[in-house]
């Protein structure tokens, strides 16, 4: 495994922390163009798989059939943070879709964001499955099962036809044979998939550039899904989180996962990226992605500025005093200087 430093954190001029990892960027010829480290390293998608896992529901007519808003439909791809607008949309989904909260396999939880979690605890509210950050995905799973004629029972098992369907879709998008996909168990209890980092980048290239998808039904479902993600970025995470910040840019399809995994695709540039921070940190995602965009000459400087605002390069202590810095220390290797377009 080829591990290289991505970000250094300093205090009083001394390096206090180093985030190591790997990055891969592929062009529309499905070749590695930008890279740092080992692009063949097998990596679990974690929640970066949610757009892929949501494709079955977008293969159905559920959005029109159940009169779903774009905000509600976006939750099928989301790691929602449990803000009031997330909960309201989730409650509405349960009323519209053929799903009850008891059907959900994800465990009862409090919201990820501190403010709604603290308010619920203060008001004596108990954990609910609906508050779990994967609840929208699970509502989508169950609805897809009922629309596609799959049994709901055991929808979380790897042998279930829904999960097998998702693996087939991932194989088409990533160009990794199903037999080469490694299966693990995710935090919410459903299968999670590992493939080479380069193949993850290819997957997000195709999400951003669906004309590269050979299956016309999957292509149309991806167009529908990514349009909704870009139209409702706050539903995918929440304010001041990288996924929502990137999805504000209509040129970007993006989603992160646990343990330092981040993936995004650029539509006009026809590039897909995947990265893995080996210590599992999500804190430095904005720094890394901003640096990637700067290094490839990305034209939307407002997007880069929004990322920089999420995680400034200055470290301050609890009193707001400047005590250190956060510095990207990597330079992407560009294999093909003329591979755009």
């Amino acid at each position: 495994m080829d591990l290289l430093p991505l970000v250094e954190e300093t205090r009083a001029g001394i390096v206090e922390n180093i985030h190591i990892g790997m990055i891969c960027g592929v062009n529309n010829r499905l070749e590695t163009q930008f890279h740092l480290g080992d692009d063949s390293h097998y990596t679990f998608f974690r929640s970066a798989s949610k757009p892929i896992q949501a494709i079955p529901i977008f293969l159905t007519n559920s959005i029109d059939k159940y009169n779903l808003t774009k905000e509600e439909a976006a939750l099928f791809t989301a790691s929602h943070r449990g803000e009031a607008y997330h909960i309201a949309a989730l409650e509405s989904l349960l009323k519209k879709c053929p799903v009850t909260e008891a059907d959900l396999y994800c465990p009862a939880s409090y919201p990820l964001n501190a403010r709604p979690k603290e308010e619920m605890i203060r008001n004596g509210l108990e954990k609910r499955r609906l508050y779990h950050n994967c609840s929208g995905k699970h509502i989508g799973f169950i609805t897809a099962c009922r629309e596609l004629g799959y049994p709901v029972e055991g929808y979380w098992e790897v042998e279930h036809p829904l999960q097998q369907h998702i693996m087939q879709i991932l194989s088409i998008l990533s160009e990794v044979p199903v037999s080469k996909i490694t299966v693990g168990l995710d935090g919410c209890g459903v299968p999670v998939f590992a493939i080479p980092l380069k193949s993850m980048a290819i997957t997000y290239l195709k999400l951003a550039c669906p004309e590269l998808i050979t299956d016309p039904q999957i292509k149309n479902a991806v167009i529908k899904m990514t349009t909704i993600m870009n139209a409702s970025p706050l539903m995918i995470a929440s304010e001041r989180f990288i996924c929502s910040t990137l999805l504000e840019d209509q040129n970007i399809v993006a989603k992160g996962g646990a343990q330092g995994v981040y993936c995004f695709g650029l539509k006009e540039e026809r590039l897909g990226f995947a990265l893995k921070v080996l210590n599992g940190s999500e804190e430095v995602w904005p720094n890394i992605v901003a640096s990637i965009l700067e290094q490839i000459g990305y034209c939307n400087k407002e997007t880069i500025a929004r990322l920089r605002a999420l995680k400034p390069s200055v470290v301050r202590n609890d009193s707001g005093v400047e005590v250190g810095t956060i510095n990207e220390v990597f330079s992407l290797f560009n294999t093909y200087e003329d591979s755009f377009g």
Side-chain angles (χ1 to χ4, degrees), residues 155-205:
Y155 73 84
W156 54 88
E157 300 286 355
V158 69
E159 298 84 6
H160 190 277
L162 175 67
Q163 301 301 331
Q164 291 296 308
H165 190 178
I166 290 168
M167 287 183 70
Q168 291 289 343
I169 291 170
L170 175 58
S171 179
I172 290 169
L173 294 180
S174 67
E175 309 208 351
V176 176
V178 169
S179 62
K180 299 294 186 181
I181 297 173
T182 299
V183 182
L185 194 62
D186 214 344
C188 66
V190 302
V192 63
F193 310 112
I195 58 177
L197 196 71
K198 177 182 178 180
S199 304
M200 296 173 74
I202 289 172
T203 301
Y204 268 76
L205 168 68

Side-chain angles (χ1 to χ4, degrees), residues 127-139:
K127 296 178 179 180
R128 290 179 59 183
R129 295 179 185 182
L130 200 67
Y131 299 157
H132 194 283
N133 79 93
C134 297
S135 59
K137 175 179 74 177
H138 283 253
I139 293 172

